[in-house]
Structures are given as structure tokens and as C-alpha cells.
Amino acid sequence: MPLRPLVLLAVLSVCAAGCAGTAPADTGGTVAAEQQPLPAQESPPPRVDPSTAEPAFGVLTELDEAWKRRDCAAVAGLTTWAEKPLGGRACKGTRNGRPALYSEPEFFLPEEGGWFAALARKPSPAYFVFVFEDGRWRLGAGPIPARGKPVRPGDAGVTAGPDLATEARLVPQRHLTYLTDPAGVNGVRFPSGDPVRGLLDEIVSRPAQVRPDRLAIDVELVEGPPRAVVLSAESMLVFDVVRLTYRQRPKAGRAALRHPLKGLSPEGTELVELASVLTAADGLTTVGVRRGPAG
């Protein structure tokens, strides 16, 4: 055999032997990556008991101090969900109108963690929703003035049937369906005098009231998980928020509005915070409502 092929064969043999016992150059990087600690998983939101609800209710005192200082950044940091746009707009728009400081709370403590509700007795009965977000408690909605006799929290350990619990999760969608269905073809009903029924009447009639201006009103839900708490084996208290977006235009050929909406810009937004009681026998009844401009 010629010399050159023998030398080449020897070199290949040495290379094969060395490669068999040596990890590829990039294996070390792969191993190092696999040994890196996994990102820490977020801990589940805390479940509330009376001992934690009381100090969390103190967010209202912090908000009162922020309003007193006219510190809109602090107001924004202490609020979330529906209350953030409502309180933020009020603070930036007027820097006054400081809300009343509520006291004498009773707490509604849901099974799931991350939120709870309260009924404050003074200065007048109103509902509040508190949400745990980014490591602290914040005000999510309220004060929602109570209608009629305020709802009382249920007894500890009481549970509702699975059918009622499923219906409670669908309450926000029932509100949306009702408010976008003037003909009532979907079968959702509210009792006479209920604020949601009055809200639908207003949505339907407002475009005619501002003529010759043109007005469109869009209805949607404010994002957020269903928030429902058991009152009894046959009743639950549910909180949700509806957003109304108004788009008002002058009629063709005009440059200005004839009947601008009070308190809203031509493309204004209004939030409606709702507290409702759902029962197996009577369906859905509104027990608290609050409305306010959010843009």
C-alpha cells in the first residue's frame, strides 16, 4: 500500500478514538443551560379570612390620604379593575371630589383566593371589591351604593349547588346579552324597576334624544374573572362591570353637535359597576349600581 493512504488511515483512526471519548464542543453549553434554575412559579393568590380582610380594607384609608394630598399617581397605584379608570379620571380631571371614607365593614369571603368583597355601613351602605394584584391589595370596584336592604354575608362554610355556581359565572354574559338585545329574543329578563332594565331603556332612547346628532353606543364587559360569593345554598352575590362607549357625530353638513352628551366627550366611555343577587327561584336582581365616566 502506498505511504500516503497509510498515513491518512492512521490519522483517521486517532481522530475516531479521540472523538469517541470526548464530548462535542457545544455539549458543555447545553449541560450548563440545563442546570440553570427554572424560573420561580408565581404563588397562588391568597385566600382571605377575616383576619386578612380587615387590614386589606385599610386600602380605603390609604386612598383617602392620597386624595387628601391630591396625589393621582398614588390613587392609580391603589386601584385596579374598574376603579382604576374611574378614580384616575376623577382625580386628574378635578383633583377634588374626594370620596367619603367608609367604615363598619362586613366581609364576603369567596372560596377562591385573590379577591373579596365588603359591605360598608357608614356613611351609607355600599359594596366594595378588593383585588390582590402585584403583591398587594387594591380597590377593584366601589363604592357601589346598595339598593334597598343591604345583602348580608352568608354563614361560614355554606355552599351553593353546582348549577347555581355555574349560573353565577355567566351573570356578566347575561348582562351583556340583555343590554345588546332590545327585542328580548334571547329570553334574558329583569324585574320591573331593576336598574339594568332602566339602562337598556336609556341605551335604546338616547340616540333619538340627541337628534339631529348621530349617536352610536357600544356595550361590552370590562375584563376580569367572574367574581361571585355564596350567600346561602340557594343564592350568590355577583360583581361585574359593563363599559358603554359613546360615539356622537354631527349630522351631515354640520360642523358642531346640537345636543352634546353631558359629562362625556363625543367619544366618551362610561363604566357601570353592578352588584347582583342570583337565586334559583327569582333569577337575577340588581342590589347595587354605580356609574361614572372613564374617558
Side-chain angles (χ1 to χ4, degrees):
M1 182 180 292
L3 181 59
R4 183 171 297 178
L6 286 174
V7 172
L8 179 59
L9 179 60
V11 170
L12 290 174
S13 300
V14 171
C15 180
C19 292
T22 305
D26 61 351
T27 301
T30 303
V31 172
E34 291 175 351
Q35 292 177 345
Q36 291 179 357
L38 296 174
Q41 293 184 349
E42 293 186 7
S43 58
R47 185 178 174 190
V48 189
D49 58 29
S51 65
T52 55
E54 188 72 43
F57 185 81
V59 167
L60 297 186
T61 302
E62 295 182 67
L63 275 169
D64 183 67
E65 291 297 324
W67 277 92
K68 186 187 300 184
R69 300 191 307 268
R70 299 183 178 181
D71 186 346
C72 295
V75 170
L78 292 167
T79 54
T80 186
W81 198 32
E83 199 54 36
K84 197 176 193 74
L86 286 175
R89 185 181 189 277
C91 187
K92 293 178 181 178
T94 64
R95 292 189 177 271
N96 55 29
R98 179 178 166 197
L101 184 58
Y102 284 78
S103 60
E104 296 190 8
E106 295 181 90
F107 300 117
F108 301 86
L109 307 179
E111 285 294 323
E112 69 273 16
W115 79 281
F116 71 96
L119 168 69
R121 293 284 179 177
K122 290 186 176 181
S124 58
Y127 302 100
F128 295 83
V129 175
F130 297 87
V131 178
F132 192 81
E133 184 179 274
D134 295 333
R136 69 154 300 152
W137 288 101
R138 305 170 193 266
L139 178 62
I144 305 173
R147 296 183 67 251
K149 186 178 180 180
V151 177
R152 299 292 303 274
D155 296 330
V158 66
T159 59
D163 291 343
L164 188 64
T166 298
E167 282 192 53
R169 289 192 291 270
L170 298 176
V171 164
Q173 186 59 48
R174 289 180 66 180
H175 281 142
L176 181 62
T177 298
Y178 182 80
L179 294 173
T180 55
D181 178 30
V185 297
N186 285 303
V188 180
R189 299 287 185 269
F190 286 85
S192 177
D194 191 280
V196 174
R197 191 166 175 172
L199 182 58
L200 176 60
D201 292 340
E202 182 180 321
I203 292 171
V204 172
S205 63
R206 258 195 168 183
Q209 294 171 358
V210 301
R211 288 175 183 163
D213 301 331
R214 295 172 295 177
L215 176 63
I217 305 176
D218 295 332
V219 184
E220 58 187 341
L221 297 175
V222 174
E223 291 183 2
R227 293 190 166 101
V229 60
V230 176
L231 299 175
S232 70
E234 298 181 348
S235 63
M236 297 186 71
L237 177 63
V238 186
F239 297 92
D240 64 303
V241 184
V242 173
R243 179 188 294 111
L244 306 178
T245 302
Y246 300 89
R247 294 181 176 84
Q248 188 177 11
R249 297 286 186 272
K251 78 169 188 176
R254 290 185 57 89
L257 297 172
R258 178 73 65 85
H259 303 292
L261 296 172
K262 293 182 180 180
L264 291 166
S265 65
E267 293 190 1
T269 300
E270 185 179 22
L271 296 187
V272 184
E273 300 176 344
L274 296 165
S276 310
V277 169
L278 176 68
T279 66
D282 301 324
L284 198 57
T285 302
T286 306
V287 297
V289 61
R290 177 189 179 206
R291 296 176 62 171

